[in-house]
Amino acid sequence: MKTKNFLVAGIVGGIVDFLLGWLFYGIIFINTFPQPEQSSGTMLFIFLGCITFGLFVSYIYTQWAQISTGVTGAKAGAIIGLFMGLFYNFFNLAMLPDTTLQLAALDVGISIVMTAIIGAVIGIVNGKMG
C-alpha cells in the first residue's frame, strides 16, 4: 500500500465529507434532519468522524481496489454510500423513535451522493499522486 496516497487522499476525502455534510445537513436539509446539540466537542467529533470515513474509503481504494480515477471512484463511492446509508438508517429505524422511513430513504440518497463525490475526489487524488 502506498501510505502517502492513503493518508493524503483520506484526509482530503474527509475534509470533502465534512464540507458536504455541512452543505447537505447544515444548509439544504437543515429543517429536515435533527441538528446535533451544540457542545464543546460536537464539531470536533463530527470532523474526526469525517476524517475517519475518508481514511476508510481511501484504504479500500488504495489497498484493495487500486482506484485512481474520478469516474471509478464515484461509482465505487456510490455503492459504498448505498450500503453505509442502509446500514446506518436500518439501525436508526430500529433504535430512534423519531426516525421515519421517508427520512431514512432521504438520508440513504444523500449518503449515495455524498460518498460518490467523496469517492471521486479520493480517486482523483490517488491518480494524481501516482
Side-chain angles (χ1 to χ4, degrees), residues 26-83:
I27 295 178
I28 297 172
F29 295 104
I30 192 166
N31 296 321
T32 306
F33 290 94
Q35 298 300 303
E37 302 220 2
Q38 294 299 319
S39 66
S40 60
T42 301
M43 292 313 281
L44 172 64
F45 289 123
I46 290 172
F47 181 75
L48 291 174
C50 291
I51 294 295
T52 302
F53 187 68
L55 290 169
F56 171 68
V57 174
S58 182
Y59 185 84
I60 292 169
Y61 285 21
T62 57
Q63 180 65 21
W64 295 330
Q66 289 77 44
I67 293 174
S68 59
T69 68
V71 173
T72 307
K75 289 177 182 178
I79 299 298
I80 293 168
L82 170 67
F83 284 110

Side-chain angles (χ1 to χ4, degrees), residues 4-5 14 17 19 22 40 44-45 48 54 57 70-71 77 84-85 94-95 101 103 109 113 117-118:
K4 184 173 140 184
N5 285 36
D17 186 17
L19 294 173
W22 168 72
S40 60
L44 172 64
F45 289 123
L48 291 174
V57 174
V71 173
M84 292 297 293
M95 305 286 189
L101 193 55
L103 191 64
V113 171
I117 295 168
I118 294 161

Side-chain angles (χ1 to χ4, degrees), residues 92-117:
N92 277 350
L93 285 165
M95 305 286 189
L96 301 176
D98 293 341
T99 304
T100 65
L101 193 55
Q102 293 80 10
L103 191 64
L106 176 60
D107 192 49
V108 170
I110 293 169
S111 179
I112 292 167
V113 171
M114 283 181 54
T115 311
I117 295 168

Side-chain angles (χ1 to χ4, degrees), residues 1-37:
M1 172 174 68
K2 297 181 180 178
T3 304
K4 184 173 140 184
N5 285 36
F6 159 67
L7 290 173
V8 171
I11 291 169
V12 170
I15 292 168
V16 169
D17 186 17
F18 184 79
L19 294 173
L20 288 172
W22 168 72
L23 176 65
F24 280 98
Y25 297 106
I27 295 178
I28 297 172
F29 295 104
I30 192 166
N31 296 321
T32 306
F33 290 94
Q35 298 300 303
E37 302 220 2

